[in-house]
Structures are given as C-alpha cells and as structure tokens.
Amino acid sequence: MSSARFALLSLFSALLLRTALGADPVFQFCSTSRNFTVNSPYESNLNKLTSFLYTKTPSSGFGLGSISHVYGLVLCRGDTSPLECKACMADAGAEIRRRRPLNKGAVIWYDKCMFKYLDANFFGQIDNANRFASFNVNNVSNPAVFNRAVKGLLTGLVEEAYTMPKLYATGEAGLAGKMKLYGLVQCTRDLSATQCKQCLESAISALPICCDGKEGGRVIGGSCSFRYEIYPFVNV
Ligand SMILES: *[C@@H]1O[C@H](CO)[C@@H](O)[C@H](O)[C@H]1NC(C)=O
Ligand SMILES: *[C@@H]1O[C@H](CO)[C@@H](O)[C@H](O)[C@H]1NC(C)=O
C-alpha cells in the first residue's frame, strides 16, 4: 500500500456517473515509461495481441496472452454480456493507443472492462502499482454507521468472490429507511484465490482514505477492484 501509486480522484456525482456509463474511460495509467517505435515488432505484436484478446475474451469475460515480449490481459465486469464485453474492449483497445500511443505498458479501465499490457510478464502477480480510487462527492448523513455497512458488505463479498471461479461477487445490504447499499468486488483471473483475497483486502483497507462517508466509491486496480453505490449498478 505504501508503494502504491494512489491517486485520489473526485470524478463525478452519482448522476454524472450514471449518465456517463459506457462513454469515457474511468481512468488510465502508463505502467512504464519505456516506449516502442512506430512500425517496430513491438507495435505489430501489440496489435496482434489486442485483436487476439478481442476475439478470445468476450465468451468468458477474461483473457490473457502474450506474443513475443508483449503481455496483455483483459477483464470484463462479471455481469457483462459477451456483446457488452466486446464493445467495451473495442473502446479500450482503441482509446489506450490514442492516449498512450508509444508506451510499452499501460492500463485502461472502463466501467465494464479493463485492458492492460506490458513488455514483461505480469501474470499471476498482484498489481499494487496501478491503482486509483474515486468517490461520489455526496456525503451521507450518518458516516459512522454507513462506513460500517460498506465495510461489512464488501468484506462479505470478498469472502464469497475468492472462492468463486470468476473471482467475482455482488450483493446488497439494507440501510436505514428504504435505502440500500450495492457492492461489487472482482479480481483478474490470473490470480490465485489467496492472491485475490489479499488484493481485495488491501483495496478495502483504503476505504477510510478514499470513501469516508461518501455515497459511492471505488478502488480500482490492475488486479482487483471494488465498487459500492447507494443505487443498483449491476445487471442482474
Ligand atoms: C517515452 O515517450 C514520452 C513521450 O514522448 C517521453 O516523455 C518519455 O521520456 C519517453 N521515455 C523514454 C524512456 O525515453
Ligand atoms: C462532503 O464533505 C466534505 C468534507 O467535510 C466537504 O468538503 C464536501 O464539500 C462535502 N460534499 C458535498 C457535496 O457537500
């Protein structure tokens, strides 16, 4: 956590987040400063790998592969249909190259998918470097109770997710009145169950930093992420 690049971003209000779904990437990083040159083998391998993953991923929602020294991984959110997954990957593949045209490593996240590539094998390792948080600027009226509910829901989801083949779980919890809390946790499937649990526990430990008393929040990383909101955001 101390070594993590931990950018705190206040992105949108809940309303904006809802209307922006599917439009813009949530965030992107260069994961290395190394560059490739135009028309190099690296570029052509990256292009081949991107189209390979585009073909391979949507049916299961997860894909990884390497061509020569280019390693790539795609994860679609656990509730996406193959069509949604494919559409998101098309956006991600094009957008990351537009924003990071010559970078040998980058990660881009959308609501429904993430795409990561690097010139070194990163499979099976928890990515602590590429991680960020965002939150809904609106404050809840009873932060202490709310924070406990958020932590309780997400902790329960972690216990479930890491035992599942998809390393993914969603759920909801009642709040005071008619309010409800909705949560989602997910890991990339190159991680072992134990690594997934570890990754998510570390993400959840950032709750007091990112999301104290906030109506919604996310910690999103190269290996795992969580999100909670006071409105439903998962397809059922
Ligand atoms: C890679 O390219 C960027 C943008 O052109 C440049 O700022 C950076 O210094 C380059 N990195 C290296 C290691 O040369
Ligand atoms: C929420 O609380 C923080 C800290 O007290 C404050 O800076 C911020 O303006 C509040 N947000 C809204 C939308 O009122």
Side-chain angles (χ1 to χ4, degrees), residues 137-139 214:
V137 293
N138 295 324
N139 301 307
K214 301 297 177 190

Side-chain angles (χ1 to χ4, degrees), residues 159-179:
E159 290 303 318
E160 186 184 334
Y162 92 100
T163 67
M164 296 294 192
K166 274 174 91 177
L167 301 180
Y168 164 78
T170 62
E172 52 187 73
L175 295 168
K178 286 202 176 103
M179 276 175 65

Side-chain angles (χ1 to χ4, degrees), residues 33-36 102-103:
S33 61
R34 294 185 293 278
N35 297 316
F36 58 83
L102 297 176
N103 224 262

